[in-house]
Amino acid sequence: MILVDTSIWIELQRPGQTLKLPGRLQVRLATCGPVIQEVLQGESLARSLTSFRSALLALPRYGDPLPLELFLRAAERYQWGRARGLTIRSSVDCLIAAIALAHQLPVWHQDRDFDAIARFTPLRVISGLRRAW
C-alpha cells in the first residue's frame, strides 16, 4: 500500500499524463483526508463531481477519524525539522507524513517537504512519477 500525495494526483491530472505500471506490477494506492481535501479544493466544482472524485473517494483511506495524537505528531515533525534547519513549507504535509508513519506507509510525492521530513524520521518516500516503479 502506498499513500499518494496531492502533488502526484495533480501531476496525473495534467493533459496527456497517464500512470503506466510496468509488467505485472500491482500496486495498491491509498489516500487520507488531508490529501482528499487538497485535491478537491483545487478542482472546479464541475470537475469535482466527476468520476475522478468518485475514484479518489473509493481508495482505501488512512487516518479516519484523525485522532489528536496525529496532530501532535505532525506538530512535532515540523518542530524537529525547524530545529535541524529544515523549513517544512506545509503543515498539511506534516500531517500527511504523521498519518503515513502511524500506518507504516510510504508516501509517493513530488514535494520537497516529504524528502525533508524523511531526513529526520523513518518516513519512507517515493519521489516523482518516473522513479516510482
Side-chain angles (χ1 to χ4, degrees):
M1 193 70 68
I2 297 173
L3 182 59
V4 183
D5 177 50
T6 309
S7 57
I8 295 295
W9 290 122
I10 290 169
E11 189 64 29
L12 289 173
Q13 290 183 65
R14 293 185 194 278
Q17 188 63 263
T18 58
L19 177 61
K20 295 179 182 175
L21 302 178
R24 295 185 181 138
L25 182 63
Q26 292 186 4
V27 176
R28 294 187 61 209
L29 304 179
T31 192
C32 63
V35 168
I36 292 170
Q37 176 188 345
E38 285 184 325
V39 170
L40 294 182
Q41 73 190 15
E43 294 290 314
S44 69
L45 183 57
R47 179 153 166 96
S48 69
L49 299 175
T50 66
S51 59
F52 173 77
R53 181 181 192 271
S54 297
L56 183 65
L57 295 176
L59 289 173
R61 195 170 44 251
Y62 286 85
D64 284 357
L66 285 174
L68 176 60
E69 184 63 28
L70 287 177
F71 290 97
L72 298 175
R73 294 273 184 236
E76 243 175 36
R77 303 297 185 249
Y78 184 88
Q79 292 168 337
W80 290 355
R82 192 164 52 178
R84 289 165 176 78
L86 300 170
T87 302
I88 309 299
R89 299 168 299 144
S90 168
S91 58
V92 173
D93 288 348
C94 290
L95 183 56
I96 294 166
I99 292 167
L101 285 163
H103 296 280
Q104 300 177 350
L105 298 171
V107 175
W108 180 20
H109 72 92
Q110 288 199 142
D111 183 328
R112 69 180 184 204
D113 284 345
F114 294 106
D115 289 329
I117 295 168
R119 289 174 57 189
F120 58 88
T121 70
L123 181 66
R124 294 175 294 140
V125 294
I126 302 167
S127 300
L129 285 177
R130 300 289 177 234
R131 294 183 288 153
W133 319 113

